[in-house]
Amino acid sequence: MREVLTAEFAPLQLDIVDESHKHAGHAGTRDGHGHFRVRIVAAAFAGLSPVKRHQRVYAALGAMMQTDIHALALETRAPDEA
């Protein structure tokens, strides 16, 4: 996930926290898919609405959203909002 987001957005800040342990036994976790919290600050988000920013992240992660990620909490910021 870190490699993909770094390549796509060249972030000034990227924090990824695996919170899967908080969801033991939850439907997605049983299948091996994780729960993650991501904070990303990137110039690519300037001028975009929060919905568009999240859509860009989901698109960048592509297949990982189906194979590795069950839940994704996003905080997306442009540099002047950080």
Side-chain angles (χ1 to χ4, degrees):
M1 185 182 321
R2 182 173 302 281
E3 289 178 18
V4 170
L5 294 175
T6 298
E8 180 69 23
F9 298 106
L12 301 173
Q13 180 182 358
L14 177 59
D15 300 315
I16 301 172
V17 179
D18 184 346
E19 297 183 336
S20 298
H21 65 283
K22 295 180 181 181
H23 303 275
H26 189 257
T29 304
R30 285 194 302 265
D31 294 334
H33 302 174
H35 289 69
F36 299 93
R37 179 169 302 279
V38 174
R39 182 175 198 273
I40 182 169
V41 178
F45 297 134
L48 297 179
S49 71
V51 170
K52 291 292 185 191
R53 293 172 183 191
H54 290 198
Q55 288 172 339
R56 295 247 350 244
V57 172
Y58 297 142
L61 293 173
M64 289 182 74
M65 293 299 298
Q66 304 301 316
T67 59
D68 300 300
I69 301 168
H70 176 71
L72 185 61
L74 293 173
E75 180 183 344
T76 53
R77 305 267 183 210
D80 64 334
E81 301 167 336

